[in-house]
Amino acid sequence: MVCFRFSRVPGSGLVLLCLVLGAVSSYALELNLTDSEKATCLYAKWQMNFTIRYETTSKNYTIVTISDFGNATYNGSICGDYQNGSKIAVQFGSGFSWIVNFTKEVSTYSIHSISFSYDTSDNTTFPDAKEKELFTVKDTVAFGIPLNDIFRCNSVSTLEKNDVVQHYWDVHVQAFVQNGTVSTKEFLCDKDKTLTTVVPTTVPSPTTTPTPKEKPEVGSYSVKNGNGTCLLATMGLQLNVTQDKVASVININPNITHFTGSCHSQTALLRLNSSNIKYLDFVFAVKNENRFYLKEVNISMYLVNGSVFSIANNNLTYWDAPLGSSYMCNKEQTVSVSGAFQINTFDLRVQPFNVVEGKYSTV
């Protein structure tokens, strides 16, 4: 038997005992798998989203973000044993599936592999796709966890392979639960081990002060679909990154920055990338059928020390404006994505919906 629920992230004060994960994607997916005696054998709670890049018939590339799991089912999820292992299987949308396989040893269990499948023959999700077929990406994770511990990783974890980027965060999972009782003893991922046990109310001051940067150059970016330009953005971008108490300020040079994206009726995506930025995503959404706003920012980039810095936040509320208009602010603004990552914008103007003849509408 499979029991599951979706609950809003702690602190919001609302629990929904039904399969609803709205477009805002501020819900945690929670699965409680039980055996024939109705004892819990596998427990998992997590948040995730997927970004998929695909080629269109016009030989352009577009990107779609998958974050709506409202029609999810769990067919194929199993408790497992030494021979067969344990498995979380989730199906959602039109042809999407996500599978996590666990293996068991004498005193440990492992998250062995994660696979994600999507079908580009779904014209609603992948309009104008050149290839109409089922794709699967599989990543071998394979790290051991003590058998009686629950694995926890609140930090953002990113898997990137082929044309798919997967983000996971607020992960709590225990396979092969002993005696039907989920453990309270946590086994932390490496990223969470670097966090202090007391959450600070303010961001710790970096041990090194970043060198002040001059105002970044303003770049012009656009996204096209079959009907022409569907998204416009003009802005200077300055990234503020803090990792291991070392602060960095990076100005984005639009002359060496590539851009792509996608447009849909309720969401729009602008993706930037360069030699040191794997991706910087700005995801816009429609609210109340008459306004738009910046809903989500995802980034994965290389720092000067060679390490990879990744952050995702899909619960933002910046750059709010009526549909059919553009949002503009010439003054310096700050988009606070997390305590460790902020974006300063200069001479900003964006219009992610209802672009007419490739031109901005009035503000």
Side-chain angles (χ1 to χ4, degrees):
M1 175 168 51
V2 178
C3 303
F4 45 84
R5 70 183 183 188
F6 290 91
S7 56
R8 192 178 293 274
V9 174
S12 65
L14 178 65
V15 174
L16 299 183
L17 296 177
C18 57
L19 281 176
V20 176
L21 181 57
V24 177
S25 298
S26 58
Y27 293 85
L29 177 59
E30 185 172 2
L31 167 66
N32 186 34
L33 188 64
T34 58
D35 59 21
S36 58
E37 298 180 354
K38 297 185 179 181
T40 297
C41 60
L42 187 154
Y43 175 80
K45 181 178 180 180
W46 74 101
Q47 297 197 69
M48 64 182 179
N49 64 31
F50 306 90
T51 301
I52 305 168
R53 177 178 179 265
Y54 70 95
E55 186 178 6
T56 65
T57 54
S58 58
K59 297 183 179 181
N60 294 319
Y61 284 89
T62 189
I63 295 172
V64 61
T65 298
I66 308 301
S67 58
D68 185 353
F69 311 101
N71 63 347
T73 57
Y74 296 83
N75 299 324
S77 298
I78 59 174
C79 294
D81 50 33
Y82 283 107
Q83 288 75 30
N84 300 316
S86 183
K87 179 168 64 176
I88 298 174
V90 185
Q91 305 84 34
F92 53 93
S94 301
F96 295 102
S97 67
W98 183 75
I99 296 174
V100 182
N101 287 294
F102 303 86
T103 57
K104 183 180 181 182
E105 302 296 336
V106 175
S107 60
T108 63
Y109 67 95
S110 297
I111 302 174
H112 183 264
S113 64
I114 298 175
S115 62
F116 172 64
S117 299
Y118 59 99
D119 192 347
T120 55
S121 62
D122 174 18
N123 293 322
T124 301
T125 307
F126 303 97
D128 201 32
K130 179 181 178 181
E131 298 179 322
K132 304 287 188 179
E133 60 183 282
L134 182 69
F135 293 88
T136 298
V137 293
K138 184 175 182 179
D139 291 272
T140 301
V141 183
F143 61 90
I145 303 163
L147 192 58
N148 293 314
D149 289 7
I150 183 169
F151 173 73
R152 189 202 83 184
C153 194
N154 291 330
S155 303
V156 176
S157 298
T158 302
L159 296 177
E160 185 171 2
K161 190 172 185 179
N162 299 337
D163 293 318
V164 177
V165 179
Q166 308 176 51
H167 293 296
Y168 304 99
W169 66 101
D170 290 343
V171 176
H172 296 74
V173 61
Q174 184 179 359
F176 309 104
V177 174
Q178 305 295 294
N179 302 317
T181 302
V182 177
S183 177
T184 57
K185 185 179 180 182
E186 295 180 332
F187 181 88
L188 306 185
C189 65
D190 289 340
K191 287 185 178 180
D192 279 16
K193 289 177 183 177
T194 64
L195 301 177
T196 58
T197 56
V198 178
V199 178
T201 56
T202 59
V203 180
S205 300
T207 56
T208 62
T209 302
T211 303
K213 287 277 186 178
E214 61 184 16
K215 182 178 177 180
E217 183 177 349
V218 175
S220 295
Y221 312 98
S222 61
V223 176
K224 296 181 181 294
N225 59 13
N227 299 319
T229 300
C230 57
L231 181 152
L232 293 170
T234 305
M235 52 191 171
L237 295 171
Q238 187 176 81
L239 312 182
N240 296 272
V241 178
T242 302
Q243 188 174 59
D244 299 328
K245 295 186 178 181
V246 177
S248 304
V249 179
I250 303 105
N251 284 349
I252 289 185
N253 182 352
N255 300 313
I256 57 173
T257 300
H258 305 284
F259 54 91
T260 184
S262 61
C263 299
H264 302 280
S265 60
Q266 297 295 310
T267 60
L269 166 70
L270 172 65
R271 166 169 285 193
L272 309 182
N273 68 280
S274 62
S275 59
N276 66 316
I277 298 176
K278 299 168 69 175
Y279 56 84
L280 172 56
D281 292 345
F282 296 90
V283 181
F284 301 88
V286 173
K287 68 176 182 179
N288 302 326
E289 302 300 327
N290 60 2
R291 300 188 72 84
F292 72 83
Y293 68 104
L294 177 66
K295 165 185 173 291
E296 180 177 340
V297 169
N298 307 312
I299 188 170
S300 182
M301 64 180 295
Y302 297 101
L303 301 181
V304 292
N305 62 3
S307 64
V308 176
F309 177 84
S310 298
I311 286 289
N313 188 333
N314 63 357
N315 197 24
L316 303 175
T317 55
Y318 293 97
W319 306 350
D320 186 300
L323 279 178
S325 68
S326 59
Y327 177 89
M328 185 172 69
C329 183
N330 291 327
K331 294 182 179 180
E332 179 180 352
Q333 279 192 314
T334 299
V335 175
S336 182
V337 181
S338 74
F341 180 58
Q342 300 84 39
I343 304 174
N344 295 335
T345 62
F346 302 80
D347 299 318
L348 169 69
R349 189 171 188 180
V350 293
Q351 185 171 342
F353 301 98
N354 300 348
V355 176
V356 179
E357 297 181 350
K359 298 178 181 179
Y360 284 110
S361 301
T362 56
V363 177

